[in-house]
Amino acid sequence: MSAEPSLERLRLHAALDRLALTFAGLTARPDEHNCVCHWGDAEELALLKTADTELDPDLLRRTWDAPDWTDHASVLRRILPQFARTLVGGPVDPWQAEAGRSFARGRWQCWPAEQAGAVREFLHAWWADTLTDPSPAVPVHDVLVVITEASAAVGPWLGVWETLTGPPADAHLAVLAERWEWELIGDQLPWSGWDNEEEIRTELTAWLVRNAPTRLRAHGAPPELLNRIRLLGLPGADRWEDPGWDGGPY
C-alpha cells in the first residue's frame, strides 16, 4: 500500500489547483508579438492568445524565458498553471535563475490580490514540500534559486528552513552547503543574480554561519565541510590567513 501524501504535498497540490483556477481563461494581449527568428512563428504566437491550451515543452520554455514581451505579466499569467506544474516536475537546471526571473519580470507581487496570493502560496508550498521530501524532484538548492529570484529576497525562504528541522531538511542543508561553499567563501553568489546580488549573498552566508554548524554536526557532515562553514564567518582576508585554510587556490 502506498504511503499517504504528506501535508506539505497536499498543500502543494492545492496550490497548483488554485493557480489553475485563478488563471483559467487568461491570454496574452491581442496585440502581443515577438521576433519570429528568435522566439517562434505566428501559429505559436496565436496559442498564447488562446486560453487554456497546453503548450509543448519547448514552446513553454521559450515563452517564459523570452525577456522582450510587450506585456510580460499577461504572458506569464497565460502560461502560469502549466509553468508551475513543469517547475515542480523538474528538473529546471540549467535555467533555475532564469525561471525565477520570469516571475520577477511579470511583477507578480503587484497583481490583484487574488492572483498575487495564488502565486505566493505556490512558491511557499513548493518550498515546504521540497524541504520535507527526502528525494524531491528538484533539488533544494535549485528551488531556492528559483524562489529567491522570483521574490527578489532570500530571507523569507531561509526563515522557513530554520523552522523545519529533522533528517530531510538537514540532509538538504548538507548538500547545499557542500555545493555552494566554494563560491561563498570567495564572496560570490553561487548563481548569477539579477538585482540585489550582494545583499542576497551576504544574507545567505550569515544564515549558514549561524544555522548550519549545529545541524550539519547532527547530520554527520565531515569536518572539512564544517571547517569551511566556519571560515565563511571570517572576513575575506582573514580566511586565507586562518590556520584552518587548506591552502588551495581560489
Side-chain angles (χ1 to χ4, degrees):
M1 181 180 296
S2 60
E4 291 294 321
S6 66
L7 293 177
E8 292 82 8
R9 181 60 48 83
L10 292 173
R11 179 186 178 187
L12 177 57
H13 288 166
L16 291 169
D17 289 343
R18 181 178 173 184
L19 286 178
L21 180 63
T22 301
F23 296 98
L26 299 185
T27 67
R29 284 172 30 173
D31 61 346
E32 187 62 81
H33 63 280
N34 212 311
C35 174
V36 173
C37 297
H38 296 97
W39 177 78
D41 59 29
E43 185 176 335
E44 290 174 320
L45 184 61
L47 291 174
L48 300 185
K49 303 172 185 180
T50 304
D52 307 325
T53 301
E54 291 282 300
L55 309 181
D56 70 64
D58 179 65
L59 178 58
L60 178 66
R61 184 197 60 78
R62 282 185 278 129
T63 299
W64 64 253
D65 192 38
D68 50 357
W69 295 111
T70 302
D71 186 348
H72 187 88
S74 292
V75 172
L76 181 61
R77 284 190 286 261
R78 160 64 180 86
I79 66 171
L80 194 49
Q82 185 183 358
F83 184 24
R85 293 197 312 272
T86 300
L87 288 175
V88 167
V92 294
D93 184 72
W95 298 303
Q96 307 98 321
E98 287 81 0
R101 283 194 282 270
S102 186
F103 282 85
R105 284 196 301 272
R107 302 186 63 192
W108 63 270
Q109 287 128 319
C110 300
W111 294 354
E114 181 180 359
Q115 295 181 353
V119 176
R120 184 177 297 106
E121 172 58 14
F122 161 65
L123 295 175
H124 279 275
W126 186 25
W127 183 230
D129 179 71
T130 304
L131 287 174
T132 54
D133 187 340
S135 301
V138 183
V140 162
H141 49 274
D142 287 346
V143 175
L144 184 57
V145 172
V146 176
I147 60 181
T148 296
E149 290 297 314
S151 60
V154 73
W157 314 113
L158 297 178
V160 172
W161 203 345
E162 196 165 341
T163 67
L164 292 175
T165 58
D170 290 350
H172 295 320
L173 181 59
V175 172
L176 179 142
E178 185 174 0
R179 187 178 182 91
W180 284 359
E181 55 85 8
W182 184 247
E183 288 87 353
L184 291 174
I185 212 166
D187 290 332
Q188 297 178 14
L189 192 65
W191 70 92
S192 177
W194 190 16
D195 194 9
N196 49 348
E197 186 170 319
E198 183 63 17
E199 177 185 339
I200 289 173
R201 181 197 64 78
T202 301
E203 190 169 4
L204 174 61
T205 299
W207 186 85
L208 284 170
V209 170
R210 185 175 67 251
N211 289 278
T214 299
R215 296 175 69 165
L216 292 180
R217 287 191 193 95
H219 180 68
E224 295 80 8
L225 181 58
L226 292 168
N227 178 58
R228 302 284 282 190
I229 298 300
R230 180 187 65 82
L231 290 171
L232 282 177
L234 302 178
D238 293 345
R239 293 170 190 164
W240 327 130
E241 304 298 329
D242 188 89
W245 177 244
D246 61 11
Y250 183 85

